[in-house]
Amino acid sequence: MALTEVIAALEAGQPLPGADRDELLKALKRYRRGDGFHLAGFERVRRRNAALLRAAEAVGGSTPWTQAGRLAASVARFEARVLPRYRDQPPASPVDRHLWDAWQSGARPLRSRRRLYELIRD
């Protein structure tokens, strides 16, 4: 089951198959340790990219290259100053909240302007 299906089943009060229940318990234990939820690889990357694109929209910019530069600066500031303070809950700033979502995805963060530009441009 995908994570969204597990959540829907839990919300509906339906029992989970043993393997899904075990995977959910493992994910919850990792989350409790501060590791965040670990989704399947493709889903993690998709969530990270969607959150980074929302952050790029929030920082703005007249061209994708300018937007990528602003986002790269926001990522550096977020990692250095914001992330250490907000391990358990998202920050209030829209840009920081989207970056927090990207980090919570479990996918490797994108930091360089070039990589962020490739994401924004496509």
Side-chain angles (χ1 to χ4, degrees):
M1 288 179 117
L3 181 61
T4 54
E5 293 171 331
V6 170
I7 292 170
L10 290 173
E11 289 176 339
Q14 299 171 348
L16 295 176
D20 291 331
R21 187 176 54 249
D22 293 344
E23 286 301 313
L24 180 60
L25 287 174
K26 287 178 190 176
L28 289 171
K29 287 178 184 177
R30 286 191 302 264
Y31 180 76
R32 188 172 55 192
R33 285 195 312 260
D35 294 342
F37 277 108
H38 296 280
L39 308 172
F42 176 76
E43 180 67 18
R44 283 184 277 170
V45 170
R46 188 190 65 73
R47 282 182 123 183
R48 179 205 61 200
N49 291 350
L52 287 173
L53 288 171
R54 289 191 303 271
E57 288 177 20
V59 297
S62 57
T63 67
W65 183 248
T66 303
Q67 202 173 25
R70 289 180 179 178
L71 184 56
S74 293
V75 165
R77 180 192 50 77
F78 174 80
E79 280 193 297
R81 296 186 184 135
V82 178
L83 188 59
R85 294 181 187 169
Y86 292 93
R87 286 279 179 199
D88 297 328
Q89 63 183 3
S93 157
V95 173
D96 291 339
R97 189 172 45 249
H98 297 313
L99 293 175
W100 188 83
D101 290 342
W103 262 247
Q104 292 299 306
S105 72
R108 185 187 321 172
L110 298 181
R111 296 177 179 93
S112 75
R113 183 178 193 173
R114 182 185 56 79
R115 294 289 308 251
L116 293 167
Y117 171 74
E118 291 169 358
L119 175 67
I120 293 167
R121 173 189 69 175
D122 294 337

